[in-house]
Amino acid sequence: MALAINIRSDDSSTKQIEALWDEVAAFESQPSMRALGYRPHFTFAIYDTPEITAKTAWEAMLRAVGDEGQLLIAFKRIRWFAGPPLVLWAEPEFDETLLSWHASISAAIDPALCRLHYRPENWRPHCTLGTQIAEAKRDDAIAFAQSFSGSISVLFDIVDCVSFPPVRVLAEQGLPLRAP
């Protein structure tokens, strides 16, 4: 069982990402994101080793966040990881706080204990839209991503530590509103 530390959105603004989940599901061999039973999120780290306990991961997340507040993240592009399978994701506009939190977590827990894609030299902030793009629909999925011309904003308001599969929240904390 793996552990992940994340920031997620329980805000109503997630409807925009969830609508994209439903559009992307048309390209998947089976819809992946709704099947998780988990809200739109950014994952900072995933640990598969028993050396990292939920307590250790959660404490690193809380130290990283400190007294910071909720994050309003804008997305203007859909990108992809080549796979296989191809994965579509929403690319956030640059946000220093996401990078700072990731750096803090990586400083607190040896990145060598983290999954390769979440290590500092590899991590790319992203909000996943679909993980099971069917090979036969690969070109259509890429065309969909390239044609996206929207701009959406989502309020990320909860940090958590989860185990998976299946996704089970082990610890969570709401983030305060940020001062204007």
Side-chain angles (χ1 to χ4, degrees), residues 48-65:
D48 294 301
T49 175
E51 294 172 67
I52 304 303
T53 64
K55 182 179 187 295
T56 300
W58 182 235
E59 287 174 353
M61 183 78 241
L62 291 178
R63 277 192 305 277
V65 171

Side-chain angles (χ1 to χ4, degrees), residues 28-62:
E28 293 186 284
S29 54
Q30 58 185 16
S32 59
M33 297 312 293
R34 292 224 185 249
L36 289 178
Y38 186 68
R39 305 300 302 261
H41 62 282
F42 288 94
T43 298
F44 293 103
I46 297 177
Y47 305 101
D48 294 301
T49 175
E51 294 172 67
I52 304 303
T53 64
K55 182 179 187 295
T56 300
W58 182 235
E59 287 174 353
M61 183 78 241
L62 291 178

Side-chain angles (χ1 to χ4, degrees), residues 67-136:
D67 60 359
E68 294 277 346
Q70 300 174 0
L71 300 179
L72 183 63
I73 304 288
F75 301 90
K76 291 187 178 174
R77 290 176 46 174
I78 296 177
R79 308 273 303 203
W80 59 90
F81 296 125
L86 185 81
V87 172
L88 291 185
W89 49 279
E91 179 181 50
E93 288 191 340
F94 178 80
D95 187 280
E96 183 63 42
T97 303
L98 287 175
L99 299 177
S100 172
W101 291 357
H102 184 264
S104 176
I105 292 162
S106 297
I109 300 174
D110 182 357
L113 298 173
C114 184
R115 282 191 187 174
L116 182 63
H117 296 300
Y118 297 90
R119 294 178 186 172
E121 65 275 10
N122 300 328
W123 185 70
R124 183 137 192 203
H126 66 280
C127 187
T128 305
L129 302 175
T131 63
Q132 298 297 318
I133 306 302
E135 187 58 36

